[in-house]
Amino acid sequence: THPDYFTPKDDDDFDFLPYSGGSNRFATVFMYLNNVEEGGFTVFPRAPSIGDVQDPPPGALDMFGSRSWEHSMTQQCYQKLAVPPADGTAALFYSIA
């Protein structure tokens, strides 16, 4: 989650309230500053994968209950659009409703 910084009092000309379609965020950038041995994906669970769908590594799902959100997210790292962290790369996505 992201608690937005700006409040509706900050600007009378713009709708900052997400409930009415407004927002104060146009885009988000995640910059990856180092490599990791495993994990660390930025997952977009509502977007389909753009590459080959893979199975999680052996044992990765065994750490979580089969109905837990962690189990589901681990599967989505390999089946949905997911950006692996790599030193010097970034993920940019626009905030659209």
Side-chain angles (χ1 to χ4, degrees), residues 34-53:
N34 54 21
N35 292 316
V36 297
E37 291 184 27
E38 64 181 342
F41 289 83
T42 300
V43 180
F44 298 89
R46 294 184 183 166
S49 177
I50 59 173
D52 294 333
V53 174

Side-chain angles (χ1 to χ4, degrees), residues 12 26 30 32 36 50 54 59 67 78 90 93:
D12 293 333
F26 177 71
F30 288 143
Y32 303 102
V36 297
I50 59 173
Q54 302 175 21
R67 293 191 173 141
Y78 296 90
F93 56 96

